[in-house]
Amino acid sequence: MAQPLLHAVTASALNLRDQPGKHGRVLAVLKQHQPVVSTAPASGGWLAVSAAGVSGFVSAAFLRPLATAVPAPAPVLGPAPAPGFAPVAAAAAVDVNLKDRDLSRLHPRMREAVHGLLQQFAAEGLPFRVFEAWRTPERQAWLYAQGRTRPGSKVTGAEPWQSFHQYGMAVDFVLFEGGQWSWDDSGPRRAHWQRLRALVQAAGLRSLSWEAPHAEWPTTLTALRQAQWPDGGDDAWEQAMELTVARWNGSGGSGAPPVVLAERPALPADVVPA
């Protein structure tokens, strides 16, 4: 066997699966910077690893090598965790105040369009930046509650999973000048917002008449809620969807799309607990 190597997780959340490939069952969710030990050479982009006493497979693209070799792990004392009860829903608590600007969790086709727009903004000297991209359903619920069950003015009419942000299919562009975000659309800045709308539409995205910063993939909410995704989804986006849906459903939430993994054969009868 190859000499074990120590790696660190580079993604904000990385699924540890029971077999290589995105259809493997999720055993645990590894956090960014968490150390893992490789137990076999990478194959097909997937690496066999051990992390926190759990062995499985992860996408090698989201690991960074830390050392050339590691000592043999100390024996684990106490009972081993029961299979299937790794902390998928018990991941770190969601910060509803966080505005996520990480484009890696967007659907690849949306991500490509956004990168193209950012390049066009730079070419034209337009001071727009991504104010928010992916948005968790927990944050969506918190925003929806503003002006209804908590103080403040209403800022959205969309409940969780009624916003394209929950599917990685939307971003908000806002002016960023002098180190400050600005929604000012008066005077000369009016032309900036008008140009934003034109560029968003030219990029094949859809803008909203009632929400100038918003740009979304041109599909329907019904299609998204039925898991009718655009072609070309990658592992980063799919992992974000799987983790978010699992956490939301595990907390008793409703309305999430059906994220269905491939059928897996039943265990042989002689290994099924009585």
Side-chain angles (χ1 to χ4, degrees), residues 17-70:
R17 300 179 184 272
D18 68 343
Q19 59 181 306
K22 62 185 179 182
H23 297 307
R25 180 168 60 90
V26 177
L27 301 174
V29 178
L30 309 181
K31 299 179 181 179
Q32 191 171 28
H33 308 308
Q34 182 172 345
V36 302
V37 178
S38 61
T39 58
S43 177
W46 291 81
L47 186 66
V49 302
S50 176
V54 182
S55 296
F57 297 85
V58 298
S59 174
F62 299 102
L63 294 179
R64 172 172 56 88
L66 291 178
T68 57
V70 295

Side-chain angles (χ1 to χ4, degrees), residues 60-240:
F62 299 102
L63 294 179
R64 172 172 56 88
L66 291 178
T68 57
V70 295
V76 178
L77 302 179
F85 288 90
V88 174
V94 176
D95 183 356
V96 295
N97 288 286
L98 177 65
K99 301 172 186 67
D100 191 339
R101 299 174 183 128
D102 184 355
L103 301 185
S104 70
R105 282 183 281 279
L106 295 178
H107 187 281
R109 297 183 69 182
M110 183 71 191
R111 189 189 312 147
E112 181 181 4
V114 171
H115 279 304
L117 282 167
L118 291 174
Q119 292 175 356
Q120 189 64 34
F121 297 159
E124 296 189 19
L126 294 171
F128 284 107
R129 292 189 184 179
V130 173
F131 180 74
E132 188 167 13
W134 178 275
R135 183 186 298 155
T136 66
E138 291 87 353
R139 173 166 165 78
Q140 190 69 40
W142 181 76
L143 290 173
Y144 183 79
Q146 182 172 321
R148 295 177 174 88
T149 58
R150 68 182 183 87
S153 302
K154 292 181 180 180
V155 293
T156 181
E159 297 186 66
W161 300 108
Q162 293 179 358
S163 167
F164 279 45
H165 284 282
Q166 274 85 80
Y167 305 87
M169 302 287 183
V171 299
D172 293 331
F173 294 112
V174 175
L175 294 169
F176 190 78
E177 299 177 289
Q180 300 291 326
W181 296 101
S182 173
W183 287 259
D184 184 11
D185 62 356
S186 62
R189 292 187 177 89
R190 180 177 296 276
H192 289 342
W193 291 100
Q194 292 173 343
R195 184 57 178 159
L196 171 65
R197 184 179 299 277
L199 290 175
V200 164
Q201 294 174 351
L205 303 181
R206 182 167 58 210
S207 57
L208 301 179
S209 60
W210 63 90
E211 190 177 349
H214 187 86
E216 64 185 27
W217 188 257
T219 186
T220 66
L221 182 60
T222 298
L224 294 179
R225 299 187 75 170
Q226 294 176 353
Q228 297 174 4
W229 321 122
D231 294 334
D234 62 4
D235 196 61
W237 171 77
E238 289 181 358
Q239 283 190 10

